[in-house]
């Protein structure tokens, strides 16, 4: 099994001019110590992203989209 110690993202941008749409993450097994996020942006727009968990262990948050801006 895979062991990931950092966050897993389906999409990421630091640009306030870009949109993150229709990104996805599928976890079928293994261990993720941190969060699993379909799309993350500290400044832009994230919508219609997804995370599918079919097995394994996630240490923190599971989010389809996360935007701070």
């Amino acid at each position: 099994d895979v062991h990931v110690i950092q966050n897993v993202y389906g999409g990421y941008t630091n640009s306030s001019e870009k949109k993150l749409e229709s990104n996805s993450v599928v976890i079928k097994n293994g261990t993720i110590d941190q969060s699993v996020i379909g799309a993350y942006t500290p400044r832009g727009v994230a919508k219609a992203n997804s995370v599918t968990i079919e097995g394994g262990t996630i240490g923190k948050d599971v989010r389809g989209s996360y935007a701070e801006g």
Side-chain angles (χ1 to χ4, degrees), residues 9-57:
Y9 301 103
Y12 173 86
T13 185
N14 194 25
S15 172
S16 61
E17 299 176 8
K18 295 189 178 182
K19 294 180 183 177
L20 292 171
E21 296 183 72
S22 302
N23 294 283
S24 65
V25 176
V26 177
I27 305 293
K28 293 189 175 186
N29 209 342
T31 301
I32 312 296
D33 287 348
Q34 299 295 317
S35 298
V36 178
I37 302 171
Y40 169 71
T41 178
R43 299 175 33 188
V45 175
K47 64 180 185 175
N49 300 286
S50 66
V51 173
T52 302
I53 307 294
E54 296 178 0
T57 303

Side-chain angles (χ1 to χ4, degrees), residues 57-68:
T57 303
I58 311 301
K60 293 194 176 179
D61 297 333
V62 175
R63 299 176 186 218
S65 297
Y66 183 52
E68 294 181 34

